[in-house]
Amino acid sequence: MTVLNILTYPDKFLKKQTAPVENIDGALQTLFDNMAATMYQAPGVGLAAPQVGIGQSFIVYDIAPRENGQDLHVLVNPKIVTSEGEIISENEGCLSVPDFRADVKRSERILVEGVDRDGNPLRFEADGLLAIVIQHELDHLNGTLFIDHISALKRQIYKRRVKKELKQQ
């Protein structure tokens, strides 16, 4: 497996919406595995295709505690059908927004539809951490970063810091 390069803010590709996956073939299966290797190495609990420069609609995630082994999930062409409640995702972070964490409002429970890595239809409810991770990753598929959900002031502070760091490089 190959560890892929994770795009980071302010890369403009992260703001693009993805296209639906039309065909799950061998090349896509390899990409799922490479994204999983990338997510585990980072380390993260989720990774969306745009974060590695792929403009298609799929994510990988694993919220299992690492000491329990791996429990990889692939979700292709996912969508949130319904959502309810509100929860604060405390100290949320993102592999594409390094060195920054913030509290983000998310839906407490969601109903998700999509297909798995083999093209089998999926429909399931998620709450807690799983709901947060899926909402975060689906945001990436729509060109939204978690910093788009925080206050303008906090977002500006982060953007200034990144611009300063880029100038110093």
Side-chain angles (χ1 to χ4, degrees), residues 116-130:
D116 68 12
R117 70 181 301 157
D118 298 315
N120 300 312
L122 294 172
R123 182 180 173 101
F124 61 94
E125 289 185 7
D127 60 10
L129 178 59
L130 179 57

Side-chain angles (χ1 to χ4, degrees), residues 4-162:
L4 306 169
N5 182 44
I6 297 174
L7 303 179
T8 57
Y9 176 85
D11 193 301
K12 293 190 183 328
F13 193 85
L14 294 169
K15 299 304 282 178
K16 293 182 178 183
Q17 284 201 336
T18 58
V21 171
E22 300 292 334
N23 182 31
I24 300 174
D25 57 14
L28 201 54
Q29 294 291 342
T30 299
L31 188 53
F32 296 153
D33 293 336
N34 291 341
M35 281 181 58
T38 304
M39 175 187 71
Y40 289 127
Q41 195 234 348
V45 294
L47 191 65
Q51 292 180 271
V52 293
I54 307 297
Q56 291 188 290
S57 185
F58 61 88
I59 66 171
V60 298
Y61 63 93
D62 182 349
I63 63 166
R66 294 299 180 246
E67 62 270 10
N68 294 350
Q70 296 178 347
D71 186 26
L72 179 68
H73 295 270
V74 176
L75 195 50
V76 180
N77 297 333
K79 65 181 178 184
I80 296 172
V81 180
T82 61
S83 61
E84 61 182 48
E86 190 175 282
I87 190 171
I88 299 294
S89 169
E90 294 179 2
N91 211 24
E92 189 168 318
C94 179
L95 298 175
S96 292
V97 184
D99 304 319
F100 186 77
R101 300 184 87 68
D103 293 350
V104 179
K105 280 186 194 173
R106 298 281 185 190
S107 295
E108 189 174 13
R109 281 175 298 288
I110 57 175
L111 177 62
V112 182
E113 287 183 347
V115 297
D116 68 12
R117 70 181 301 157
D118 298 315
N120 300 312
L122 294 172
R123 182 180 173 101
F124 61 94
E125 289 185 7
D127 60 10
L129 178 59
L130 179 57
I132 290 167
V133 169
I134 291 174
Q135 289 171 82
H136 178 107
E137 300 309 331
L138 267 60
D139 275 352
H140 281 295
L141 302 181
N142 294 314
T144 302
L145 297 173
F146 89 100
I147 58 173
D148 296 326
H149 292 291
I150 63 175
S151 74
L153 178 61
K154 287 181 182 176
R155 189 170 43 253
Q156 274 309 112
I157 290 169
Y158 179 73
K159 288 179 177 183
R160 277 193 218 115
R161 189 174 87 209
V162 169

